[in-house]
Amino acid sequence: QVQLVESGGGLVQAGGSLRLSCAASGNIFSINAMGWYRQAPEKQRELVAIITSGGTNYADSVKGRFTISRDNAKNTVYLQMNGLKPEDTAVYYCNLHYDNKWVSGIQAWGQGTQVTVSS
């Protein structure tokens, strides 16, 4: 089994910053991608940012404000969020795309962390 432990959410005023962390542990042979998704009330879950060995990709709405990074030694992914806006308010979910020794292309999700931006 694989566990994803998220931290760093909270309440912040517009223009402020937060840093999310997600540590992966368990039966992981190799990691293909790590990313962050978010889901606001009554909206579909959407990709925020993703990082692979080939680089990073961001949703247009967060480009220039959010930065995703990864510590390979710790199997941890971070999301630095600057210039937060009320529309960034959502539950943020960590996503892991990995292989174990027997199966490729497995996906796992964190439990979610709430980010609330007040105006």
Side-chain angles (χ1 to χ4, degrees):
Q1 291 290 350
V2 168
Q3 285 188 325
L4 300 179
V5 179
E6 302 169 356
S7 61
L11 173 65
V12 65
Q13 288 188 332
S17 298
L18 284 173
R19 189 191 194 210
L20 305 183
S21 299
C22 173
S25 61
N27 187 14
I28 300 170
F29 179 71
S30 63
I31 293 177
N32 303 313
M34 298 187 81
W36 291 93
Y37 289 70
R38 66 186 181 187
Q39 187 166 16
E42 300 182 358
K43 291 189 176 181
Q44 288 190 333
R45 191 173 296 190
E46 62 175 359
L47 174 68
V48 176
I50 190 168
I51 184 166
T52 69
S53 59
T56 58
N57 198 18
Y58 296 90
D60 288 342
S61 59
V62 306
K63 283 181 181 177
R65 300 188 296 124
F66 291 10
T67 302
I68 190 169
S69 61
R70 178 178 156 185
D71 185 333
N72 292 330
K74 297 180 180 180
N75 282 349
T76 299
V77 64
Y78 305 95
L79 185 68
Q80 178 66 43
M81 304 185 293
N82 299 328
L84 282 160
K85 304 175 181 180
E87 51 263 44
D88 294 318
T89 295
V91 177
Y92 283 70
Y93 295 92
C94 177
N95 176 264
L96 173 69
H97 205 267
Y98 71 102
D99 304 333
N100 63 25
K101 290 183 180 180
W102 306 277
V103 181
S104 301
I106 306 168
Q107 192 168 209
W109 292 93
Q111 79 281 4
T113 185
Q114 177 70 46
V115 171
T116 302
V117 184
S118 63
S119 57

